[in-house]
Amino acid sequence: MINFAHGEVFMFGAFASFFFARAYAASGFLNSQPIVSLAILFLSAIAVSVGVAVLLERVCYRPLRNAPRLVPLITAIGASLFLQNSAQGFFGSQTRGYPRPSFLEGTVTIGGVSFDKIDPVVIATSIIVMVALDLYVKRTRTGKSMRAVAQDREIASLMGIDVDRVVVVTFVIGGMLAGIAGVLYALMFGQVGATMGFLPGIAAFTAAVLGGIGSIPGAAIGGFILGISESVGPYLLLLGFRVPSPFELRGVITFSILVLVLIFRPGGILGTGEAEKV
Amino acid sequence: MANDVVTPPTGRSLGWAERLPVRKIVLTILTAAIFVVVGGGIYKTLTLPAGERLDWEFWANLFVIGLALGAVYALIDSATAWCTASCA
């Protein structure tokens, strides 16, 4: 089962924090208390994303746990469209500017290279969260249950693991990460919109396949490789061929990578070499 | 019916054509094509005339942006990977 609606969970988290960010920017609180503001933005995004993710699992996926594989797949696509259209209906279809605290505005130059101040913040936050997730999955009892359920749900159930509870915990963690990612993405690009979750959701799935489904270090490696390929790749590969707007073809690079990984290494870089879960 | 004649299998085959490793051939051609396109593209970009060539600060900037974008993908995809694995 592929949770295609995860991009929309991410989008709802970003939107939830947007309303706080807009109000705080209007009142001046965003710049007078930036750390407190950011903490509230992250907490609001996490709360909403977790709520949407758990609701998805309870309403859309749990009743179909033993259905043929195609059924939850179609449901996931349906849920994704439902959430996307709901967001368009309730929040409008136009993109909205996402205010940034002033200490994250502008660029910083290190070693002659200037980049946005938000970039290192996004990278550092992501690495910290990924390490925490890896430790959680490897060192805790619930993490061990998650690995057992991912390996073989029926055997895990026979060993006394409450599969439903473990799946809900997985969706809660997924929602938390999506909420954090939503705020970081909105801060990076300075905007939110009802369709903002679709392409990052597909790209993230590509990264998951590239790294290896079920492997957190693989997910991190896949994400970074894909991000760099999407950013550097169009210029590096296409500029020499005199393509007028190489950056517009970044999606071509992403999906070419997906197709090539599925052909040459369906298990991903750190995966098992099996393609069954995909 | 009793008079129906059942033709026995002739044992004919396509011979060497049947034993061709089609999948291997296609994958080899695809790999070669990827190397040509990727390698050729990188070479042509890096050897552009001086006026059109992009400086290293531009590449470094793109790399940092890519890392930041990748960090967001990593956050989303680790969750996608686990939800996929545990619900599969």
Side-chain angles (χ1 to χ4, degrees):
Chain A
M1 206 281 301
I2 300 160
N3 184 12
F4 273 116
H6 199 67
E8 274 57 51
V9 174
F10 155 88
M11 175 269 292
F12 265 95
F15 250 112
S17 69
F18 161 73
F19 293 113
F20 283 91
R22 190 177 59 177
Y24 290 161
S27 67
F29 185 67
L30 192 65
N31 291 323
S32 62
Q33 294 290 339
I35 303 298
V36 179
S37 306
L38 281 178
I40 294 172
L41 296 188
F42 277 111
L43 287 175
S44 59
I46 288 171
V48 170
S49 289
V50 166
V52 175
V54 170
L55 205 65
L56 264 177
E57 194 278 327
R58 192 71 190 85
V59 176
C60 300
Y61 303 141
R62 193 183 295 186
L64 305 171
R65 193 71 50 80
N66 296 314
R69 280 187 171 194
L70 199 58
V71 179
L73 185 71
I74 300 295
T75 308
I77 295 169
S80 168
L81 291 172
F82 174 86
L83 291 173
Q84 203 179 104
N85 288 324
S86 302
Q88 278 179 330
F90 288 116
F91 309 137
S93 54
Q94 74 281 20
T95 52
R96 318 263 195 100
Y98 192 96
R100 222 186 249 179
S102 55
F103 81 100
L104 290 175
E105 289 286 1
T107 57
V108 61
T109 307
I110 297 174
V113 182
S114 36
F115 44 84
D116 285 353
K117 282 182 186 169
I118 188 72
D119 292 343
V121 174
V122 171
I123 296 165
T125 310
S126 173
I127 290 172
I128 292 168
V129 173
M130 298 286 286
V131 170
L133 176 67
D134 196 44
L135 288 175
Y136 181 80
V137 170
K138 280 186 182 153
R139 301 272 170 89
T140 64
R141 198 181 163 84
T142 311
K144 197 183 273 184
S145 304
M146 281 167 67
R147 283 185 285 143
V149 171
Q151 211 163 43
D152 193 317
R153 202 188 330 148
E154 281 178 21
I155 302 291
S157 175
L158 290 172
M159 294 291 125
I161 293 171
D162 184 349
V163 173
D164 283 341
R165 186 186 151 274
V166 171
V167 173
V168 168
V169 170
T170 309
F171 273 80
V172 167
I173 294 171
M176 289 169 75
L177 264 61
I180 295 169
V183 176
L184 293 176
Y185 192 85
L187 284 171
M188 240 179 102
F189 291 99
Q191 59 181 33
V192 290
T195 54
M196 67 180 276
F198 182 71
L199 276 179
I202 301 283
F205 173 66
T206 308
V209 173
L210 180 62
I213 293 282
S215 158
I216 293 167
I221 291 170
F224 284 119
I225 291 177
L226 194 76
I228 293 166
S229 309
E230 211 175 273
S231 169
V232 179
Y235 287 100
L236 193 59
L237 301 185
L238 304 171
L239 205 66
F241 292 119
R242 314 271 174 191
V243 174
S245 311
F247 195 64
E248 296 304 316
L249 293 170
R250 62 193 185 280
V252 173
I253 302 237
T254 307
F255 296 111
S256 301
I257 290 174
L258 176 64
V259 171
L260 293 175
V261 170
L262 287 173
I263 291 173
F264 288 104
R265 197 168 165 80
I269 296 168
L270 298 185
T272 55
E274 295 166 15
E276 274 176 44
K277 301 280 187 195
V278 185
Chain B
M1 286 180 67
N3 293 338
D4 281 352
V5 179
V6 179
T7 315
T10 58
R12 277 187 195 165
S13 70
L14 291 170
W16 64 269
E18 205 170 60
R19 292 191 297 276
L20 262 180
V22 178
R23 184 182 152 79
K24 208 172 178 179
I25 291 169
V26 170
L27 286 183
T28 309
I29 293 170
L30 193 59
T31 309
I34 291 164
F35 272 105
V36 168
V37 172
V38 172
I42 291 172
Y43 176 76
K44 281 175 86 74
T45 301
L46 295 180
T47 55
L48 278 170
E52 295 174 46
R53 201 178 303 159
L54 300 167
D55 53 8
W56 74 273
E57 283 95 349
F58 177 83
W59 292 112
N61 191 18
L62 273 187
F63 186 80
V64 176
I65 292 170
L67 272 182
L69 191 62
V72 174
Y73 289 160
L75 277 179
I76 310 173
D77 80 27
S78 55
T80 307
W82 274 102
C83 291
T84 302
S86 62
C87 301

